[in-house]
Every structure is written in C-alpha cells, then in structure tokens.
Amino acid sequence: MIPDEIYVQKTIEGDAEAFNELVQRHHARIYGLAYRMLGNPDDASDAAQEAFLEAYKSIQSFQFQSKFVTWMYRVGINVCQQYKRKSDARNRTLTSYTKDLRDREGQYVNHCPDRLLLKTERDQLIQHAISQLPSKQQIVITLFYMQQLKYREIAELLDCSEGTVASRLNTAVRNLKSKLESLQPH
Amino acid sequence: MSLDCKQVIEDFSLHQDPALTHQEKLERRQHLIECEVCRNEYEQMLHTAVVLESLPEPVPPPGLVERIQTQIRQTHRRSIWDFLANPIARILVAMKLGPHPTFVNYTAMLFYLMLTAFMVKLTFFSSTETPPVALTHAPSPHVRLVRLADVKHGSLKSVRIEKEKPSEVPIQSTPSDFH
Ligand SMILES: [Zn+2]
C-alpha cells in the first residue's frame, strides 16, 4: 500500500484527489473520535468534515516528522474541542438523562434509522458517561480504547510524556467507572 | 514496605505507568493481592476498561466521505481561482517565505491599486494642454553657415567657416549661393 505521506506530498503539489484518498482511508477514525468526543452523529459528521477541510487547507504545515494519521488526529481533536466549546455555549445540556435517551431513540427511529449507531442501552450509557468527562480524559480514552493507539503514539500526539498519558487514562477510567455507577439503573 | 491504598490506585491500577520501576510494579501488584479494597477498585476499573474496549466502533453515516471529498474538490477549484487572482501570494506560499497571508493580500491589493491608477491615468488623463511657452518660443539657435569654396571636390583645405552670422540671414539650400 502506498504510504500516506506520498499522498500528502502530492496534495502539497496541488493534487486534490490525492488528499481525497487520505479522506477515504481515515474518515472512519476521525468520525469515530469525533463521535466519542461530541456524543452525537450529526455533530460528529460536521466535525469530521471540518477537520479534513482544515487539514487540507493547512497541509503545507505538515512537517513529515510524524505520521500523517497522528497529525490528522491532532487536527480532529482541535476541531472537536472547538465544537465542544461552541456547544457548551449553546448550553445544550438536557435536563435528565432518561429524557435524552428517549429523545435520541425517537429521533433515530423516526428520522435516521440508518444512523443507529448505539444499538444497546448500555452503549448509550457509556457514551453518555464519556461525553461528560473532561475533554482531555475523553481524548485519551478514545485514543487508547477505541482507536487502539499506543501510549507512545498518544504521548506524541498530545505532546506530553507517556507517564502523563498513563495517569490521565487512570483518572479517566476511574471517573468513568463512578459515572457509570451513578447512571446505571438498578 | 507497605504502600498506602490511594497511591496504589492512583499510579498503578490498570495503566501501568511506564515511569514505575519493575520493583515498584511488583510492590503494587503484591498490595492488590493483600488488600481487598484496592482489589475491588482494580477489578471494577478492569471491568470498565473491558466494557470500553467492547464498545462498537461508530459507523460513519453513508455519504459522509463523498460529502467531504466534494468539499475538498470545491476548495481546490477555488484555490485555482485564487491563484489566478493573486499570484504573488501563491508564489510567496510556494517559496515558504512565510509572511502572514493578510499581509500578502494587502501588498497584492496595493500593487493592483497602483497599477490600476496608473492605467486610468494613462487612458483618461493623458495631457492635452500646450507645453509651456518657454519651450515652444525659445530663441532659435544661431546657425552657422558653412560655405564651401568653389574649389575642387574634396579639397578640405579650402573649406572656410564663416564666423557667427546673425539668424535673420535666410538660409537657402541652393548651391548657387555658395559663391
Ligand atoms: Zn489497598
């Protein structure tokens, strides 16, 4: 398989289709990241689209020192964080989780059954708990557990030490555990 | 050596801190075996981690790739227009000289503005007024008459140059005058 960086080079030389090959390869990861960070498919789609557009526009700043995918994750994380700030400003917090759940289920069934991403209530619970974590913890959890990145890769991506990644993961899982306990219907 | 529980949970749990030495890891592991509180905590975290790993990967909605790719193509086409409209900025970018895009744009704008002003001036305001009197009615220069004596051709010795003659003497080109 042709390495991503070859396509990056072609993109820099003015070949937009080369970049579209990168979109084809990585859109699912970036969408997945956005979905875990933002918690709903519509925002995740928009954020993924914006992340790729942002990456395309600033492809000149890619230094060829890291892998393209690492750089792309970084762009994706930045875009998602901007989105979160915006949605925090919109103050879209719902009054109760059960209402949220019911609304979402209704929404999926009525309008977009093909977007039924969270099949079970448990998955929704977890996603909801993840959405409530601070963004730094969401990021490590998503990258480590869902995107299967290694400590070293996450550390490089977030520009911190592997120790920081490890301790942030600990905190994240511990927080998530207590959130799940409080959300879990008994 | 006994470790306190908080420390065990904080820096061991399931993400073994790469900074811990082998000995430290062993100590924490030993503590987990001995301490029920920590062991419970650890198991619950382990359970959470397993649940996280088992979460299904979100599937991108159909049409997302196409949507992104279409937007990339549009942006690309727009960038070609930008190139035609503002080659200076593009060249600077290509040369990685790195001035701020805004600066480049303003520079280019200024350049085009000056160019336009110049062209407008050339087209509509080209000067039609008569030149200053001093230029057109300047005293005519003194004319020196060179008279060739009626000698044989080519005999330069006998060329006589008349001294300054006043300009009112009409200059005639007929050779008969030269006698
Ligand atoms: Zn203990």
Side-chain angles (χ1 to χ4, degrees):
Chain A
M1 196 171 83
I2 301 167
D4 289 347
E5 288 68 30
I6 300 284
Y7 286 108
V8 174
Q9 187 55 47
K10 284 185 175 178
T11 308
I12 293 173
E13 287 162 9
D15 181 359
E17 289 313 312
F19 189 81
N20 277 346
E21 173 62 29
L22 296 170
V23 173
Q24 184 70 47
R25 284 185 186 182
H26 301 295
H27 77 280
R29 294 164 189 262
I30 301 302
Y31 174 81
L33 173 86
Y35 184 83
R36 294 297 172 208
M37 283 184 72
L38 302 173
N40 75 79
D42 292 334
D43 283 354
S45 299
D46 290 349
Q49 183 167 355
E50 205 175 310
F52 278 106
L53 188 67
E54 194 64 45
Y56 177 69
K57 285 179 181 168
S58 55
I59 196 80
Q60 302 270 357
S61 72
F62 182 72
Q63 296 291 312
F64 292 93
Q65 280 158 2
S66 60
K67 285 197 282 182
F68 170 76
V69 68
T70 309
W71 183 77
M72 192 60 227
Y73 269 129
R74 213 176 286 149
V75 177
I77 288 170
N78 284 342
V79 169
C80 288
Q81 282 177 327
Q82 283 165 18
Y83 253 77
K84 276 170 79 77
R85 278 195 286 274
K86 268 187 245 165
S87 72
D88 284 350
R90 267 185 274 141
N91 204 2
R92 275 177 27 189
T93 43
L94 288 153
T95 44
S96 80
Y97 174 59
T98 43
K99 181 180 174 295
D100 184 12
L101 253 188
R102 226 182 302 117
D103 286 356
R104 282 188 186 188
E105 260 163 12
Q107 181 197 342
Y108 292 147
V109 172
N110 295 334
H111 303 297
C112 36
D114 54 340
R115 288 193 189 174
L116 189 53
L117 302 158
L118 302 173
K119 290 183 189 68
T120 67
E121 192 172 302
R122 190 202 62 167
D123 290 348
Q124 292 200 353
L125 260 167
I126 297 164
Q127 179 54 50
H128 184 75
I130 294 174
S131 306
Q132 290 187 333
L133 289 176
S135 164
K136 282 181 174 180
Q137 295 176 23
Q138 281 180 349
I139 293 167
V140 286
I141 281 212
T142 308
L143 294 177
F144 187 76
Y145 286 108
M146 285 109 188
Q147 312 271 341
Q148 277 95 36
L149 263 63
K150 296 179 175 60
Y151 281 159
R152 187 179 42 76
E153 293 169 317
I154 301 174
E156 187 198 337
L157 209 158
L158 301 178
D159 206 14
C160 62
S161 71
E162 289 182 41
T164 310
V165 175
S167 69
R168 209 176 276 172
L169 264 176
N170 277 345
T171 318
V173 175
R174 209 165 39 244
N175 280 346
L176 199 65
K177 179 182 73 73
S178 51
K179 278 194 194 303
L180 286 174
E181 277 164 2
S182 66
L183 287 171
Q184 216 99 49
H186 289 289
Chain B
M1 177 197 157
S2 93
L3 287 156
D4 89 57
C5 294
K6 192 171 170 289
Q7 195 186 346
V8 172
I9 292 305
E10 268 184 12
D11 58 32
F12 184 76
S13 59
L14 46 146
H15 307 102
Q16 300 186 15
D17 190 330
L20 290 180
T21 63
H22 182 63
Q23 182 60 34
E24 284 169 329
K25 285 177 189 171
L26 280 182
E27 280 165 14
R28 280 153 183 76
R29 202 178 287 275
Q30 187 60 36
H31 180 90
L32 286 183
I33 295 165
E34 289 159 6
C35 170
E36 204 189 336
V37 179
C38 285
R39 193 164 61 245
N40 273 342
E41 172 84 5
Y42 177 72
E43 276 167 5
Q44 281 174 14
M45 285 181 72
L46 201 62
H47 175 72
T48 309
V50 169
V51 166
L52 276 176
E53 276 172 339
S54 71
L55 271 184
E57 202 171 309
V59 181
L64 178 65
V65 192
E66 290 76 15
R67 195 144 51 97
I68 299 173
Q69 291 179 334
T70 307
Q71 202 185 7
I72 297 295
R73 285 186 198 107
Q74 283 169 354
T75 311
H76 177 64
R77 276 198 291 275
R78 216 173 302 138
S79 74
I80 293 175
W81 277 109
D82 287 350
F83 173 73
L84 293 173
N86 194 350
I88 296 173
R90 189 58 185 252
I91 289 162
L92 286 173
V93 167
M95 288 167 75
K96 293 190 175 174
L97 288 180
H100 195 273
T102 324
F103 170 75
V104 175
N105 285 339
Y106 280 126
T107 315
M109 224 151 76
L110 193 71
F111 171 73
Y112 284 119
L113 214 67
M114 281 163 63
L115 191 71
T116 315
F118 180 67
M119 296 305 279
V120 166
K121 164 118 176 53
L122 219 64
T123 318
F124 299 107
F125 298 98
S126 43
S127 168
T128 49
E129 67 185 38
T130 48
V133 183
L135 278 178
T136 47
H137 291 78
S140 48
H142 292 289
V143 178
R144 288 161 140 197
L145 283 182
V146 177
R147 182 161 297 204
L148 292 173
D150 50 350
V151 288
K152 286 157 200 128
H153 286 292
S155 169
L156 289 171
K157 271 187 230 164
S158 44
V159 171
R160 191 154 47 89
I161 298 173
E162 277 200 0
K163 292 220 171 93
E164 304 266 320
K165 272 220 161 183
S167 58
E168 62 262 28
V169 173
I171 303 161
Q172 284 170 11
S173 55
T174 43
S176 56
D177 276 357
F178 291 80
H179 285 292

